[in-house]
Amino acid sequence: LGSGNDGLDITHRILKEAPKHLNEGGHIICEIGYGRDLLEAAYPEIEFLWLDTENSEGEVFWLSREQLV
């Protein structure tokens, strides 16, 4: 999987395009694997809600459409 030097190119694209595809009040859940610190640094204005799964901690986030616009 090629996603740029930091591994987040696709995630950046998803975050940029998501508001166009979400209804008002809609949400997005995205798994990034490693890279939480880099993602939070790239979007300091967004308060990510990080979700733990059975197999990971802090690799899945949930955001509302409103947070992205």
Side-chain angles (χ1 to χ4, degrees), residues 2-69:
S3 190
N5 291 335
D6 64 4
L8 295 173
D9 283 0
I10 293 172
T11 305
H12 294 301
R13 182 175 172 199
I14 289 169
L15 294 177
K16 179 182 175 186
E17 300 291 327
K20 299 178 197 175
H21 304 282
L22 292 169
N23 293 327
E24 187 175 319
H27 293 83
I28 185 170
I29 294 178
C30 186
E31 179 181 6
I32 64 163
Y34 303 108
R36 176 180 176 166
D37 292 339
L38 293 170
L39 190 65
E40 289 180 327
Y43 301 92
E45 71 283 1
I46 297 177
E47 186 175 339
F48 290 84
L49 174 60
W50 293 96
L51 306 173
D52 295 338
T53 69
E54 185 176 330
N55 298 312
S56 70
E57 294 180 11
E59 297 179 5
V60 177
F61 63 83
W62 178 330
L63 292 174
S64 69
R65 179 186 184 277
E66 288 70 27
Q67 289 175 280
L68 296 170
V69 292

